[in-house]
Amino acid sequence: GAGGGAAMAEDEALVSVDYEVSGKVQGVFFRKYTQGEAKRLGLVGWVQNTSHGTVQGQIQGPSARVRELQEWLRKTGSPQSRISRAEFSNEKKIEALEHKDFQILK
């Protein structure tokens, strides 16, 4: 998008957002790929399978990078996955990262 001088600072602001991805996302290395993509983008947070067949977690980092991972979760995922829906919630600005790295939780 087009913006004034404030756009840069906005992209650098740290944000935290929760996500849940539905579809064929378990048993297709979705968590491993999500972790790899998050690390590539320099993001922190976590990812886990849920009991009802979705994958959920949290992403934290510079907002521009978080947007990239959101787009990836919405459209790409792991090679064998079939994403039907990606939902994002609880987005907020944070002062500092609350995780050291991006973990796969059991």
Side-chain angles (χ1 to χ4, degrees), residues 7 10 46-47 75 103:
E10 191 64 24
W46 52 273
V47 59
K75 299 214 170 82
Q103 294 181 304

Side-chain angles (χ1 to χ4, degrees), residues 24-80:
K24 187 189 167 193
V25 293
Q26 290 192 8
V28 291
F29 302 104
F30 198 90
R31 292 171 301 170
K32 185 169 182 280
Y33 276 88
T34 301
Q35 182 187 48
E37 190 67 11
K39 289 193 165 179
R40 188 181 71 77
L41 290 167
L43 300 171
V44 302
W46 52 273
V47 59
Q48 69 178 23
N49 283 344
T50 69
S51 58
H52 50 275
T54 65
V55 167
Q56 69 176 16
Q58 187 176 71
I59 314 163
Q60 294 186 348
S63 76
R65 297 292 176 91
V66 169
R67 297 271 169 275
E68 283 189 57
L69 189 59
Q70 285 178 302
E71 196 68 4
W72 185 89
L73 286 166
R74 204 178 267 126
K75 299 214 170 82
T76 308
S78 67
Q80 275 98 41

